[in-house]
Amino acid sequence: MTGHRADALTRVVAALGAAGVAEDRTVRCEPLAGGTYNTVFRVTLDDSRDWVVKIPPAGSAGLSYERDLLKGEIAFYTAAAGLDPAVPEVVHSEPDPEAAAGRHVIMTARPGAPWHECDAGMPDGERSRLRRRLGRLTGRLHTVTGPGYGYPAEPLGPLAATWREAFTSMTDALLADAERYGARLPRPVPEIRRVLAGASDVLDDVTRPALVHFDLWQGNLLLDGAAGERSLSGVIDGERMFWGDPVADFVSPALFGNIEDDKDFLAGYAESGGPVHFGVSVRTRLALYRCYLYLIMLVEVVPREAGPQEREWSRDHVGPQLVLALTELESASHRPV
């Protein structure tokens, strides 16, 4: 057993102890792969309960917004409690790094495998049904209203009174990270900052801070059941959530694509969150949020010390998408309202 694995297991045992579970009640404890930030273990107890224990990395965060991400995870599951059975429930949490067991969150485990592992060869009818189901769930999440705009852990300052103020702080911090880490971007940082600022007036159209997951790509969606009969069984990794524009949650479900083409998702969303009208404001805001996500993907490879292949993939696939979104923003100012 490596020192890192032994230390992780020690922290899991401590977290379970803080939740009142003795070590001898653990029947199985195994690491879960796929995460890029936290250490995650699945634990089965002697009464057949399955839990997931998530432990954030020690030390400072890589990107500015990543400070105290665990608080976002706890906030997401707490805010979404009871909305949908696919969302895990918090069993125990400790956001304080000075606590005896350290920072951690324990939640109920959800069954199934990540969507992207099941997607190849999936019948169109099944995919349509699942996309509609995802749309309904996303709409339910957006019915929750937060206390202000921004990240709940307040890594960039207190929650803001307006979405424009919050999102401007988010993008400014990320571009400062890009400069600090010397990230390779397809356009200069001052130019990107100018384009984003030039389109920021549409952010004033957002008047309610909704619960936004912002990471609804297939790796964070679990499917369970036999082929043709699968169900959406889990929506996980809510740590990057924020209180803001619900339109922002239309980016990751259509990563590198256009959510307007996903008629099933939008039909499901209309059932629980109301119909979406893709006018100039919504499309411009979508382009802003695509820029934000693509910038995160391009910058984070530096502090995470990603290998050459991952960095090359990011430059070749994410970089052009960022250019397209910036170009869309530049042309948006010339469109009639």
Side-chain angles (χ1 to χ4, degrees), residues 27-226:
V27 175
R28 185 184 303 110
C29 181
E30 55 189 10
L32 295 179
T36 59
Y37 189 76
N38 298 286
T39 298
V40 186
F41 277 76
R42 183 171 183 138
V43 174
T44 301
L45 304 180
D46 56 7
D47 59 5
S48 298
R49 283 181 293 175
D50 283 326
W51 289 349
V52 169
V53 181
K54 180 173 286 192
I55 300 170
S60 59
L63 300 182
S64 297
Y65 86 94
E66 291 181 315
R67 180 169 60 83
D68 289 337
L69 270 184
L70 189 73
K71 292 182 179 179
E73 183 107 14
I74 297 167
F76 175 78
Y77 294 126
T78 301
L83 286 179
D84 194 284
V87 179
E89 298 176 2
V90 174
V91 175
H92 183 269
S93 64
E94 178 52 76
D96 185 0
E98 303 301 323
R103 296 180 298 167
H104 62 269
V105 61
I106 303 174
M107 65 198 83
T108 54
R110 297 301 305 153
W115 187 320
H116 65 85
E117 296 180 5
C118 312
D119 196 62
M122 181 182 290
D124 289 342
E126 182 177 36
R127 183 177 290 106
S128 294
R129 174 175 56 80
L130 290 170
R131 296 302 296 180
R132 192 174 187 119
R133 169 76 172 90
L134 176 61
R136 285 198 302 273
L137 185 148
T138 305
R140 290 192 192 109
L141 295 179
H142 294 168
T143 63
V144 180
T145 302
Y149 294 96
Y151 289 106
E154 302 184 353
L156 311 177
L159 294 177
T162 69
W163 177 230
R164 191 204 284 229
E165 178 186 352
F167 189 70
T168 299
S169 295
M170 291 159 65
T171 53
D172 282 349
L174 183 55
L175 290 172
D177 287 335
E179 292 179 316
R180 175 162 57 103
Y181 287 117
R184 288 186 59 181
L185 301 179
R187 292 174 67 170
V189 166
E191 192 175 302
I192 295 173
R193 185 179 287 113
R194 175 186 59 77
V195 174
L196 298 181
S200 64
D201 60 317
V202 296
L203 299 172
D204 292 332
D205 294 338
V206 181
T207 58
R208 182 180 67 88
L211 175 63
V212 177
H213 185 285
F214 202 61
D215 205 8
L216 293 172
W217 75 290
Q218 290 187 350
N220 290 335
L221 305 173
L222 304 182
L223 303 182
D224 193 38

Side-chain angles (χ1 to χ4, degrees), residues 202 205 277-286 332-333 335-337:
V202 296
D205 294 338
H277 303 287
F278 288 93
V280 171
S281 176
V282 169
R283 290 190 175 113
T284 304
R285 280 146 52 199
L286 269 172
S333 60
R335 296 175 185 164
V337 178

